[in-house]
Amino acid sequence: MAHDIRIVTEAELRAVVGLDRDTVGVIERAFGALSDGGVVMPPVLSMELAEAHGEVDVKTAYIPGFDGFAIKVSPGFFDNPKLGLPSLNGLMILFSARTGLVQAVFLDNGYLTDLRTAAAGAVAAQHLAPEVIHTAGIIGTGVQARLQARAAHLVRPCERLLIWGRDADKAQACARDLVDLGGEVRVTDDAADLVRDSQLVITTTPARQPVIEAAWLHPGLHITAMGSDQAGKNEIDPQALVRADLYVADRAAQVETLGELRSAIAAGIWDKGTPTELGDVIRGRAQGRRDDAQITICDLTGTGLQDTAIATHVMQRLAGGDVGTVITA
Amino acid sequence: MAHDIRIVTEAELRAVVGLDRDTVGVIERAFGALSDGGVVMPPVLSMELAEAHGEVDVKTAYIPGFDGFAIKVSPGFFDNPKLGLPSLNGLMILFSARTGLVQAVFLDNGYLTDLRTAAAGAVAAQHLAPEVIHTAGIIGTGVQARLQARAAHLVRPCERLLIWGRDADKAQACARDLVDLGGEVRVTDDAADLVRDSQLVITTTPARQPVIEAAWLHPGLHITAMGSDQAGKNEIDPQALVRADLYVADRAAQVETLGELRSAIAAGIWDKGTPTELGDVIRGRAQGRRDDAQITICDLTGTGLQDTAIATHVMQRLAGGDVGTVITA
């Protein structure tokens, strides 16, 4: 029986949904639901296409109370820049959680993934960072460096934003793109200085060797590490995880294999058992930051939960309107 | 960077691709590639949505030499008939195997899955059934009963087609739908008779208790069991697998958990080790049927390999034409 399916392009999506408090609220609600129970989130389906220097990941999750569930497909083909194409692409498909019928195809080229990833950073800052942030620091200079800075600003506006990257020109470009946030926005040439001066630091790199040393930790610091999303990546000195007063995971089962915790376990220094999950902090089922002097770290590896949340959110934004192309199939 | 993506509906797909020798050839080539090596086929991603009495499976595979790879999403929501909707739905997305860019979205509602599943039945018959089939028997009365009969007819035309199902009216309807195949097409009320009189039998049921008993096996019989595709299903008496001269799997690692072999292993009676794969028989790397008197069984659980093959095939059929809706995203 044919039914209507809405096909929406990246440009159309950019016009209707952005990084704002609504988006952060939806992602926060999804993490809360994970704590409430009943979320079904299978392990990521991963396929490597070695000949093409490519890989593809598929994520999904069912969240009780959400009308739909998303299947998100993220190809990464790392020779694409040689062809003038972006490495990362992909799309999301939204299905009815009641009938399984396809509701919408979001040809977003990864835009919605960027949004939901940044929004998780805001949720982490909201629930774990000190109340007042004078200086925030961003490590890395890519799309997420920009988006994480904006996400943090939504929940913890600061007077000064510092940016550090291995490539000083890219760091300057990133800083220029963020001047509209207001306050001082400047590049620093020393990551240690950045961490020392900041109360909130967000790492947004694909680093395979730590970019933050444990010795740099100081009272009143919160770090969100969102770069590690597969085995082999590592942004933070494993000692820092042990030394922090609190280490929080987006999903405990996932940080052990794909996140920062993997390196700490591999180094044989992790002795604190299963980490606290962000959703449990949101719901008050686990203790978050106790005071402004504590050192906290949040590890975001990216979850299908966020994909279902953002796709459902987009569909609500689109309801009743005529954005996209409706195909009867 | 925006690029063109072709969106094609079920009706449009039905107009350009059907169950014919080309389709069977493409599926045969894919199974051959599995034997040649280099195929990457991750385990199926499965998610249960218990509240909605639903499930969703995601399959994919990379096949060397194929331009694209498919991600196939198959939701099954078993309360849908109460709402006047089909239980099974879904779509396939075709990506470039070189760049990972989305090439096409096939809103097929499972049509391409039906085709590639039937085509695998033809490949099994072609490589394992006796050369001459006087009588073929179909067990089951659904979509695959019809398609498997047609697929078998492409490679092993017969003089007589017998159909058995638990519901006699549905069996009659199935027989009526197949009269165009020519020869005698009739319903039998006894599955044992059907098996006894046939040289080729295809089981197409969701049975959880065997519909074929081991005692019914006779020299010169080939059975293809295509109904079992998840733990819990079982169409053929496990003793039959042991008693047959040859038991062939679409994918050895999969029949052990999702196919007929699962039941034989669970019964503790399987003592023949890793089963022969269909691709190895196609390529001559494994012995197929030795003579017309042997008893052979082929177990088809359904593979992402077939999805990539049919999706790539469809894209070739569409090349240069204007079928579907092109969206720049």
Side-chain angles (χ1 to χ4, degrees):
Chain A
M1 209 178 81
H3 70 290
D4 287 351
I5 297 168
R6 194 180 289 263
I7 316 287
V8 193
T9 66
E10 178 186 348
E12 291 162 341
L13 290 163
R14 284 183 182 271
V16 295
V17 64
L19 184 57
D20 55 23
R21 287 182 173 277
D22 277 3
T23 301
V24 173
V26 167
I27 298 302
E28 182 186 35
R29 191 178 144 219
F31 278 111
L34 184 60
S35 171
D36 295 340
V39 166
V40 187
M41 187 152 53
V44 178
L45 182 160
S46 268
M47 180 167 73
E48 197 184 351
L49 295 86
E51 286 176 64
H53 196 198
E55 63 184 33
V56 60
D57 283 352
V58 183
K59 292 184 178 178
T60 189
Y62 166 71
I63 312 176
F66 281 64
D67 295 337
F69 65 92
I71 302 270
K72 197 262 295 282
V73 186
S74 303
F77 280 64
F78 303 104
D79 293 340
N80 277 6
K82 295 178 198 166
L83 305 169
L85 297 169
S87 296
L88 302 177
N89 287 289
L91 82 175
M92 284 194 196
I93 310 146
L94 182 69
F95 297 82
S96 161
R98 197 172 58 104
T99 65
L101 290 179
V102 179
Q103 306 289 294
V105 179
F106 299 139
L107 300 169
D108 71 324
N109 299 315
Y111 171 63
L112 298 179
T113 299
D114 286 342
L115 278 192
R116 61 74 151 160
T117 302
V123 174
Q126 193 169 358
H127 290 278
L128 291 166
E131 282 298 324
V132 176
I133 303 292
H134 298 289
T135 301
I138 303 289
I139 301 221
T141 60
V143 171
Q144 278 298 316
R146 290 157 170 84
L147 286 175
Q148 291 288 346
R150 292 183 185 284
H153 197 78
L154 286 172
V155 298
R156 291 285 192 278
C158 61
E159 295 132 40
R160 193 163 63 146
L161 181 66
L162 302 177
I163 295 161
W164 177 85
R166 285 185 310 172
D167 183 321
D169 290 342
K170 288 185 181 170
Q172 290 293 354
C174 184
R176 280 193 300 274
D177 285 351
L178 291 168
V179 288
D180 65 285
L181 286 180
E184 183 188 358
V185 179
R186 69 171 176 81
V187 169
T188 170
D189 59 4
D190 186 337
D193 285 353
L194 178 147
V195 174
R196 189 195 58 220
D197 292 347
S198 299
Q199 294 83 52
L200 168 61
V201 171
I202 305 165
T203 60
T204 67
T205 75
R208 290 173 175 270
Q209 296 293 333
V211 291
I212 291 187
E213 296 180 19
W216 303 349
L217 298 186
H218 59 80
L221 174 66
H222 173 75
I223 302 174
T224 294
M226 58 67 54
S228 293
D229 58 356
Q230 51 178 258
K233 292 188 182 174
N234 179 206
E235 294 192 281
I236 302 192
D237 182 347
Q239 284 289 355
L241 269 56
V242 181
R243 204 174 300 176
D245 296 299
L246 179 64
Y247 166 77
V248 175
D250 54 359
R251 187 160 173 76
Q254 202 164 287
V255 295
E256 289 171 2
T257 55
L258 308 178
E260 296 299 324
L261 188 56
R262 184 194 58 83
S263 301
I265 291 170
I269 60 173
W270 182 254
D271 56 2
K272 297 184 178 179
T274 302
T276 297
E277 287 194 345
L278 181 57
D280 289 337
V281 174
I282 291 170
R283 284 292 191 258
R285 293 194 177 98
Q287 175 71 49
R289 169 176 289 275
R290 283 181 194 276
D291 58 57
D292 280 354
Q294 280 200 313
I295 300 172
T296 52
I297 297 177
C298 186
D299 191 353
L300 301 177
T301 50
T303 62
L305 179 84
Q306 292 156 262
D307 298 316
T308 282
I310 191 87
T312 308
H313 175 55
V314 169
M315 199 63 185
Q316 284 169 349
R317 281 276 173 99
L318 295 174
D322 59 357
V323 175
T325 306
V326 172
I327 291 186
T328 304
Chain B
M1 208 177 81
H3 70 291
D4 286 351
I5 296 169
R6 194 180 289 264
I7 316 288
V8 193
T9 65
E10 178 185 348
E12 290 163 341
L13 290 164
R14 284 184 182 272
V16 295
V17 64
L19 185 57
D20 56 23
R21 288 182 173 278
D22 277 3
T23 302
V24 174
V26 166
I27 298 302
E28 183 186 33
R29 192 178 141 220
F31 278 111
L34 185 58
S35 172
D36 295 341
V39 166
V40 186
M41 187 151 53
V44 178
L45 182 162
S46 268
M47 180 168 73
E48 197 184 350
L49 293 86
E51 286 175 64
H53 196 199
E55 63 185 31
V56 59
D57 283 353
V58 183
K59 292 183 178 181
T60 188
Y62 165 71
I63 313 175
F66 281 64
D67 294 337
F69 65 91
I71 302 269
K72 196 263 293 282
V73 186
S74 303
F77 279 64
F78 304 104
D79 292 339
N80 277 5
K82 295 178 198 165
L83 306 169
L85 297 169
S87 296
L88 303 177
N89 289 287
L91 81 175
M92 285 195 196
I93 309 145
L94 182 69
F95 296 83
S96 162
R98 199 171 56 103
T99 66
L101 291 179
V102 180
Q103 307 287 293
V105 179
F106 299 138
L107 301 168
D108 72 324
N109 300 316
Y111 172 63
L112 297 179
T113 299
D114 286 343
L115 279 192
R116 63 73 151 161
T117 302
V123 173
Q126 192 170 359
H127 289 279
L128 292 166
E131 282 298 324
V132 177
I133 304 292
H134 298 289
T135 301
I138 303 289
I139 301 217
T141 60
V143 171
Q144 278 296 317
R146 289 155 170 87
L147 285 175
Q148 291 288 345
R150 293 183 185 283
H153 197 77
L154 286 172
V155 298
R156 290 288 191 277
C158 62
E159 296 133 39
R160 194 165 62 146
L161 182 66
L162 301 177
I163 294 161
W164 179 85
R166 286 185 309 173
D167 182 321
D169 290 342
K170 288 184 180 171
Q172 290 293 354
C174 184
R176 280 196 298 276
D177 285 351
L178 291 167
V179 288
D180 64 285
L181 287 179
E184 183 186 358
V185 180
R186 70 171 175 81
V187 168
T188 169
D189 61 4
D190 186 336
D193 285 353
L194 177 146
V195 173
R196 188 194 59 222
D197 292 347
S198 298
Q199 294 82 52
L200 169 62
V201 171
I202 305 166
T203 60
T204 67
T205 75
R208 290 173 175 269
Q209 295 294 332
V211 291
I212 290 187
E213 296 180 17
W216 303 349
L217 298 187
H218 58 80
L221 174 67
H222 172 76
I223 301 174
T224 294
M226 58 66 55
S228 293
D229 58 355
Q230 53 178 254
K233 293 189 182 175
N234 178 207
E235 296 192 281
I236 302 191
D237 184 346
Q239 284 289 354
L241 269 55
V242 181
R243 203 176 299 177
D245 296 299
L246 180 64
Y247 166 77
V248 175
D250 55 357
R251 184 161 176 77
Q254 203 163 287
V255 295
E256 290 171 2
T257 55
L258 308 179
E260 297 299 326
L261 187 55
R262 186 193 56 82
S263 301
I265 291 171
I269 60 173
W270 181 254
D271 57 2
K272 297 183 176 179
T274 303
T276 297
E277 287 194 347
L278 182 56
D280 289 337
V281 174
I282 291 170
R283 284 291 193 261
R285 294 195 177 98
Q287 176 70 49
R289 170 176 288 276
R290 284 180 196 277
D291 58 57
D292 280 355
Q294 281 199 314
I295 299 171
T296 52
I297 296 177
C298 186
D299 191 354
L300 301 177
T301 49
T303 63
L305 181 83
Q306 293 156 260
D307 298 314
T308 282
I310 191 85
T312 308
H313 176 55
V314 168
M315 199 62 185
Q316 285 169 351
R317 281 274 174 98
L318 296 175
D322 60 356
V323 175
T325 306
V326 173
I327 291 187
T328 304

